[in-house]
Amino acid sequence: MDTDSDVLLEVKGLRTRFRTDDADVTAVNGANLRLRRGRTLCVVGESGCGKSVTARSILRLIDPPGRIVDGEILLRRDGSDGRPAETIDLAALKPTGRRIREIRGRDIAMIFQEPMASLSLVHRVGNQIGEAIRVHNPMPRRQARQRVLELLDQVEIPNPERTIDAYPFQLSGGMRQRVMIAMALSCSPRLLIADEPTTALDVTTQAQIMDLLVGLQHQQDMALMFITHDMGVVAEMADDVAVMYLGHVVEKGPVDTIFHDPKHPYTRALLDSIPRIGGARRERLSTIRGTVPAPADQPSGCVFRDRCDFVMPGRCDRIVPPPIDLGPERHVRCLLHGGAEPEAEVTTSQEAADAG
Ligand SMILES: Nc1ncnc2c1ncn2[C@@H]1O[C@H](COP(=O)(O)OP(=O)(O)OP(=O)(O)O)[C@@H](O)[C@H]1O
Ligand SMILES: [Mg+2]
């Protein structure tokens, strides 16, 4: 059983909204997540489910008209690195303020699907990583350069002495991804958020990068929040899993329970879409019927009901499924597994959130 001290980051009831004159989109709608020290949480779901907005909300990288409108993001420093033990609510910090800038990179770092999102084209790799180091640990350039060489070696870049003076455009996609990882690790963060970091790479490079991340995570005892749409990747990486659909965490739990006893019809559908080795030849992979609706068109009741094979008319369209506790750290939001009676009805999860 976990104690509170095992929890590094806790997201409680997070809601992030993009509001413009002609649209009001709640991209993350009451998400609850827990990241344990040194462990991997995989956040999985189809495109548009709110995975990246969740990650960017944690680091307060949501630009207007986006805004966190509700919830807490609790970072627990345990005092092990010489800084005082304290809990900081990142959702309450000023997004451009000194405190969040101190946390970015040092407590929490992020890598993106597209390395060029965090690398500059016009600066040499070594200078970019060196500057990232010097933001949090002022030191002479020569010393920073030494540290960069160590980092390049750690991310298994062949010939660091040459790569350190290269420009990102001179490197292959896989090498750039390694450079971005080196930069993210430069201040030994306690949590690394990896937002689909391998989807732009070929399968072999993808496997190498995943192995590298897992190795580094163990070496550095770092927590990893790994975002993916691929249940195959989840099987390889996760300790814990959170399944997102249309801004909601619809199911979460330890990885073995998610794979052996999935409860939400959406989780089951995602699992059915993994190719199986040894499966009958020509067997068609099942795909999930329909598409994720635009977040502005939230259906009433359960957000997944239009695509669900087990939909219960008169219930699923009228009741927003509450989180149902299935055991330690195990929750599902689906009326098949319990929940309120129609008397308690509310029409959309937006109204439920607004009312609550
Ligand atoms: N800047 C923005 N302005 C308006 N809406 C936005 C903005 N950024 C994201 N959204 C909305 O938030 C929803 C969730 O987006 P998000 O990028 O988190 O999805 P995702 O799960 O990461 O998908 P993918 O797998 O494609 O990366 C999107 O459907 C989009 O409509
Ligand atoms: Mg995304």
Side-chain angles (χ1 to χ4, degrees):
M1 189 73 194
D2 284 337
T3 61
D4 265 3
S5 62
D6 295 328
V7 178
L8 173 66
L9 187 90
E10 187 158 21
V11 175
K12 289 183 171 175
L14 176 69
R15 286 175 69 214
T16 304
R17 202 165 186 171
F18 294 89
R19 201 175 212 165
T20 57
D21 286 346
D22 43 22
D24 183 358
V25 169
T26 304
V28 181
N29 203 341
N32 295 313
L33 297 170
R34 268 183 156 199
L35 279 132
R36 296 183 289 155
R37 293 181 198 282
R39 311 302 290 265
T40 299
L41 170 73
C42 280
V43 178
V44 62
E46 287 163 288
S47 193
C49 286
K51 306 181 297 292
S52 296
V53 173
T54 302
R56 298 179 70 88
S57 299
I58 291 173
L59 278 169
R60 304 301 311 275
L61 293 173
I62 300 287
D63 294 322
R67 199 163 70 84
I68 294 178
V69 291
D70 203 3
E72 293 176 315
I73 302 169
L74 303 176
L75 170 70
R76 299 191 206 282
R77 284 192 182 145
D78 64 359
S80 62
D81 59 358
R83 291 179 296 173
E86 62 177 326
T87 297
I88 306 168
D89 181 3
L90 309 184
L93 300 181
K94 214 169 117 213
T96 51
R98 184 180 57 84
R99 288 219 83 190
I100 190 73
R101 277 186 280 125
E102 215 176 78
I103 285 162
R104 283 185 206 133
R106 183 142 181 219
D107 293 272
I108 309 175
M110 183 158 171
I111 56 177
F112 300 87
Q113 175 174 352
E114 177 38 65
M116 296 320 287
S118 46
L119 295 176
S120 151
L121 269 182
V122 295
H123 296 99
R124 294 178 199 275
V125 160
N127 291 345
Q128 295 190 51
I129 306 175
E131 285 313 306
I133 297 174
R134 281 155 34 100
V135 167
H136 293 296
N137 305 295
M139 62 173 78
R141 277 177 205 280
R142 183 186 293 272
Q143 194 183 339
R145 188 174 169 90
Q146 202 48 47
R147 173 86 182 111
V148 174
L149 286 171
E150 283 165 26
L151 282 163
L152 293 177
D153 187 51
Q154 221 175 0
V155 296
E156 295 164 19
I157 285 186
N159 207 342
E161 286 79 9
R162 204 166 65 213
T163 308
I164 194 169
D165 290 320
Y167 291 94
F169 66 82
Q170 296 173 309
L171 305 175
S172 68
M175 284 301 144
R176 272 185 218 159
Q177 204 58 282
R178 285 173 194 271
V179 167
M180 189 166 63
I181 295 170
M183 189 143 94
L185 296 181
S186 63
C187 296
S188 311
R190 303 324 304 145
L191 167 63
L192 178 64
I193 301 179
D195 189 356
E196 310 221 32
T198 60
T199 36
L201 304 171
D202 63 76
V203 239
T204 316
T205 316
Q206 191 173 341
Q208 288 168 353
I209 297 283
M210 280 178 2
D211 285 349
L212 173 70
L213 280 173
V214 171
L216 290 167
Q217 178 194 17
H218 290 149
Q219 255 173 43
Q220 312 212 354
D221 194 25
M222 172 176 79
L224 186 60
M225 174 170 164
F226 196 95
I227 296 176
T228 177
H229 54 263
D230 182 343
M231 275 291 195
V233 170
V234 175
E236 284 187 37
M237 305 280 293
D239 295 303
D240 302 300
V241 183
V243 181
M244 282 193 83
Y245 187 79
L246 209 58
H248 298 251
V249 176
V250 294
E251 179 162 9
K252 63 179 181 172
V255 64
D256 51 330
T257 64
I258 296 286
F259 276 78
H260 293 124
D261 190 19
K263 295 291 190 196
H264 200 286
Y266 182 57
T267 311
R268 289 189 213 160
L270 286 175
L271 287 168
D272 284 343
S273 64
I274 308 180
R276 260 180 285 269
I277 293 175
R281 271 212 303 162
R282 292 177 188 279
E283 182 189 14
R284 282 199 60 207
L285 282 178
S286 52
T287 50
I288 307 174
R289 171 162 67 78
T291 50
V292 185
D297 304 324
Q298 292 251 342
S300 62
C302 169
V303 281
F304 187 59
R305 70 175 164 82
D306 287 343
R307 302 174 72 193
C308 182
D309 292 335
F310 304 92
V311 63
M312 298 178 285
R315 276 176 68 78
C316 299
D317 50 344
R318 296 170 66 189
I319 306 167
V320 176
I324 294 159
D325 199 341
L326 301 171
E329 297 299 312
R330 180 92 177 93
H331 293 93
V332 66
R333 280 175 177 261
C334 173
L335 297 174
L336 291 169
H337 303 283
E341 290 308 308
E343 286 74 58
E345 74 186 62
V346 275
T347 45
T348 67
S349 44
Q350 182 71 66
E351 283 170 19
D354 289 343

